[in-house]
Every structure is written in C-alpha cells, then in structure tokens.
C-alpha cells in the first residue's frame, strides 16, 4: 500500500476565478459540476480569465486526476485524457499528477475514480452539512500497488468495459443531437411538414405558425416541487425510494441513485422530467424509476402525454443554465416562476409526428443507458478483484491498447 501523494509528481489546488461563457475570456475552466457526470462535456465547460504567467501552473495535462474536495460531491474524480488544448481547473478541485516512473497513470486513475475511493473520502471528510477534504487528506489514501505487469493487466481488462461504455455514450449523444436538430427544424425554424402553406402570426413568443398557441407551464404540465425529508430518513443501502436533493448525481440523461429515503411525500414518477430549481437552474434529467425529489428539484409531466416533445422543448429553452428561458439569471426559482414559463403549443398532429420519430430514439437511449449502468457496476465489482490479483487476466488476448500502458 502506498499513499496517493507519493505516487504523484505534484499535488495542487486549482485556480480561483469567475466562470465565463465567453470563449475569448481565456482557457476552459473545469469545475466540480463538470466532473460529476459520467464523462466531461468539454463543450459545456466555461472559460476563465487568467494571466499568462499563471496559466502554466494551472494547465491540465493528459493523465492528470482532479478530485472534488468540498460539498455533496466530495471525492468525485475524473482523469483527464481528451481535453482542449488549453484547460485549467477551479479551486474546489485538487489535481494529482501521476508519476509514470512509479505507477501506471491509467491504473491510478481507475483507482481514484472508483466507488471505493469515493466512499472512503465521504467517510473521512469533515463537516456534516458541507463535507471538506483538503489535499493532504485526499493524498493520504492508501493505494494498492501491485507490480507493473498486474497494473497493465488491470488496465487492459478495464479498458474493455470503458470502450463499451464510451461507444454507448457516443451513440446516446448522436441520438439526442438528432432529436434536438429535428426539434429546432420544426419548432424553432418552423420548417415542419406542410409549413409552406401556413402563415406566421404574432404571439407572446414572437411569430408562430397560424393555429399554434402559447401556454404557461401550469396549463400544459403537472408540476411537483421537491421538499427534502429530514436527514434521519436518508440511507445509502436501498431502503425506500431513491432520493435526489439536486443535480449531484445527474447523468447525461438519467440520474444515478446513491441515496434513498423512507419518506415519499414529493414523488417523481418514472419518465418525469427532473428540473433543477436551484443553481444550476434548468439542468435536466429524466426519472428512470419512481423517486423522491428534494428541494433542489421539480418533477414535470406533460398533461397530453407528449413527454419527449416536452423534454426536448425544455432542454432547448434552458440550453443556458441558471436563466429562465435564456433571460434573467436566477440562483433559484419558485413554484410560481416555474408555472409561468411560457411553452409553445403546436397543433397536435405536428407534435404527434415528432413523437413518432423521437420516441424510438428515446427508447434506445434508455436501453443504452441501462447497459452502461450494468457495465459500470461490473467494472466497480471487478476492479478490486483485479487489483488484488484474485482474477488473473494476464493470459487473455484482450486486443486493446491500454491508455498509459
């Protein structure tokens, strides 16, 4: 066993700055919220201003591992591989730079990104309301360090699962982008089937096709505003319903369950849209199961049953987080704010035609997401056995080139 810090050439806190959506402001600025999902969406990572003399100190290199040191996501980690040419990291992250002379960098990344590491950090982080773990504490984690041959074998085995998950993630991204582009073609640019024969008329959202309407969310949807039970009713062993306080465990489309509660007063049904009502306002997931929503979330369901249309409409409307429909910036929104959100209401045949195309793609996204959940669980179960050499994969022809091998 070797302390994490002893396997690194450097351990560093991140840079303190304000995030900016302006690409001209400076390099990408990786934050805690950016490392929580399954993979980093660099397109959504903001930028920051930084002096040239400081830039080199905070640049991220391939193989670097960043770990969240505070808040509900303390212990979450990501290893950096594909990244923009210039990317920095924020002050609530700690960067560990593996020493390739002592450890296989990818092996170390798998250990620090594992469920076991996250569980350890949460057990030792101080502060009940706001857990914190400084660099020294994080760096004290004892890493099982087998010889390099075993490390390479672990890497090759894990890479099979990682490759399958990455292929699924790419397919999901393509399906969701196809849905988004179809939505914008029909319901933003109004080039829907038969649009040539329809005139545009004025509305509260600007010109819309004749016969289409605008309605507040309260008239088009059922809305459940979350409320958090007392912490004494939480558990992490699966008793009751899954509980989500906010976006901590949000994924690309569905959340990962890490907490449960026996109090089920504010419930989202399977398929409901989970909408963040606290910063970041407007971040969206879908309930893959019946679950309880805490005070940071709301659950939304279309009254007409066209849930895929509603989901795509809200994603398009809230493409910029923390704003109500791209307008005023909010750190939190109330039930009244939510109910008053203006939604476009096209004629039913056009919406149903969209659903006919979008629904099969949504079903495939759900299937691929379930596959990734199974693969992730398999990886987390296999990793400790591979590290301990309980499973010998040295003789397998895995036919994959390991990153950092």
């Amino acid at each position: 066993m070797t302390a994490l810090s002893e396997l690194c050439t450097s351990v560093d806190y991140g840079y303190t700055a304000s995030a900016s959506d302006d690409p001209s402001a400076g390099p990408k600025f990786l934050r805690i919220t950016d490392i929580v999902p399954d993979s980093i969406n660099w397109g959504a990572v903001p930028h920051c201003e930084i002096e040239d003399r400081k830039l080199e100190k905070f640049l991220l290199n391939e193989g670097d591992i960043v770990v969240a040191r505070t808040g509900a996501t303390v212990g979450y980690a990501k290893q950096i591989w594909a990244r923009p040419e210039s990317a920095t990291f924020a002050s609530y992250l700690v960067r560990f730079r593996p020493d390739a002379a002592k450890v296989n960098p990818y092996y170390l990344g798998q250990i620090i990104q594992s469920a076991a590491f996250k569980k350890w950090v949460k057990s030792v982080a101080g502060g009940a309301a706001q857990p914190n773990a400084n660099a020294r504490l994080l760096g004290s984690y004892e890493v099982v360090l087998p010889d390099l041959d075993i490390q390479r074998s672990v890497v090759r085995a894990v890479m099979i699962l990682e490759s399958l998950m990455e292929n699924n993630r790419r397919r999901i991204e393509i399906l969701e982008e196809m849905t988004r582009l179809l939505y914008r073609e029909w319901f933003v640019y109004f080039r829907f089937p038969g649009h040539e024969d329809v005139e545009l008329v004025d509305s509260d959202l600007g010109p819309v096709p004749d016969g289409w309407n605008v309605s507040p969310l309260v008239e088009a949807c059922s809305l459940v505003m979350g409320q958090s039970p007392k912490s004494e009713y939480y558990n992490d062993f699966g008793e009751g319903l899954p509980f989500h306080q906010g976006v901590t465990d949000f994924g690309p489309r569905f959340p990962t369950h890490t907490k449960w509660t026996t109090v089920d007063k504010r419930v989202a049904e399977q398929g409901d849209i989970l909408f963040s009502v606290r910063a970041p306002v407007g971040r969206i997931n879908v309930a893959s199961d019946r679950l309880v929503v805490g005070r940071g979330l709301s659950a939304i369901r279309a009254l007409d049953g066209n849930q895929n249309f509603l989901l795509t409409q809200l994603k398009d409307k809230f493409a910029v987080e923390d704003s109500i429909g791209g307008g005023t910036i909010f750190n939190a929104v109330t039930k009244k704010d939510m109910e008053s959100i203006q939604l476009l209401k096209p004629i039913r045949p056009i919406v149903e035609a969209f659903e006919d195309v979008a629904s099969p793609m949504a079903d495939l996204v759900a299937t691929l997401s379930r596959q990734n959940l199974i693969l992730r669980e398999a990886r987390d179960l296999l990793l400790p056995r591979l590290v301990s050499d309980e499973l010998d994969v040295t003789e397998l022809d895995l036919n994959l080139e390991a990153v950092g091998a």
Side-chain angles (χ1 to χ4, degrees), residues 305-327:
N306 293 313
Q307 194 74 351
N308 290 306
F309 172 76
L310 176 63
L311 173 64
T312 314
Q313 184 176 27
L314 288 174
K315 280 188 171 184
D316 185 76
K317 197 174 186 69
F318 291 91
V320 177
E321 293 178 351
D322 292 329
S323 64
I324 290 293

Side-chain angles (χ1 to χ4, degrees), residues 296-309:
L297 298 177
S298 63
I300 308 172
R301 175 172 291 271
L303 295 177
D304 61 8
N306 293 313
Q307 194 74 351
N308 290 306
F309 172 76

Side-chain angles (χ1 to χ4, degrees), residues 387-402:
V387 168
S388 65
D389 205 20
E390 185 178 342
L391 289 178
D392 183 8
V393 295
T394 56
E395 300 301 320
L396 293 180
D397 181 12
L398 299 176
N399 196 31
L400 278 173
E401 182 179 349

Side-chain angles (χ1 to χ4, degrees), residues 79 81 100 103-107 148 152 155 159 401-405:
Q79 188 164 33
W81 291 112
V103 65
N104 181 300
Y106 191 86
Y107 170 84
L148 285 173
R152 282 190 280 266
V155 167
M159 278 293 291
E401 182 179 349
V403 176

Side-chain angles (χ1 to χ4, degrees), residues 32-55:
I32 286 181
T33 53
D34 302 313
I35 72 166
V36 171
D38 285 345
S39 58
I40 298 172
N41 178 7
W42 285 105
V45 174
H47 300 259
C48 73
E49 294 183 4
I50 184 170
E51 299 174 30
D52 290 342
R53 62 184 180 85
K54 295 182 179 180
L55 180 57

Side-chain angles (χ1 to χ4, degrees), residues 152-210:
R152 282 190 280 266
S153 297
V154 171
V155 167
R156 286 193 293 268
V158 171
M159 278 293 291
I160 290 179
L161 300 178
E162 292 284 354
S163 179
L164 291 171
M165 287 190 284
E166 181 59 26
N167 286 339
N168 283 347
R169 280 194 288 265
R170 289 176 181 173
R171 293 175 67 189
I172 289 170
E173 288 174 1
I174 291 170
L175 289 165
E176 294 196 324
E177 180 65 5
M178 289 170 63
T179 303
R180 187 188 74 84
L181 291 175
L182 180 65
Y183 173 86
R184 292 192 66 80
E185 183 73 6
W186 286 16
F187 304 107
V188 176
Y189 306 125
F190 303 130
R191 294 194 287 259
F192 52 88
H195 71 277
E196 301 90 346
D197 302 321
V198 181
E199 294 183 358
L200 297 182
V201 298
D202 290 335
S203 78
D204 291 343
L205 293 178
V208 300
D210 190 19

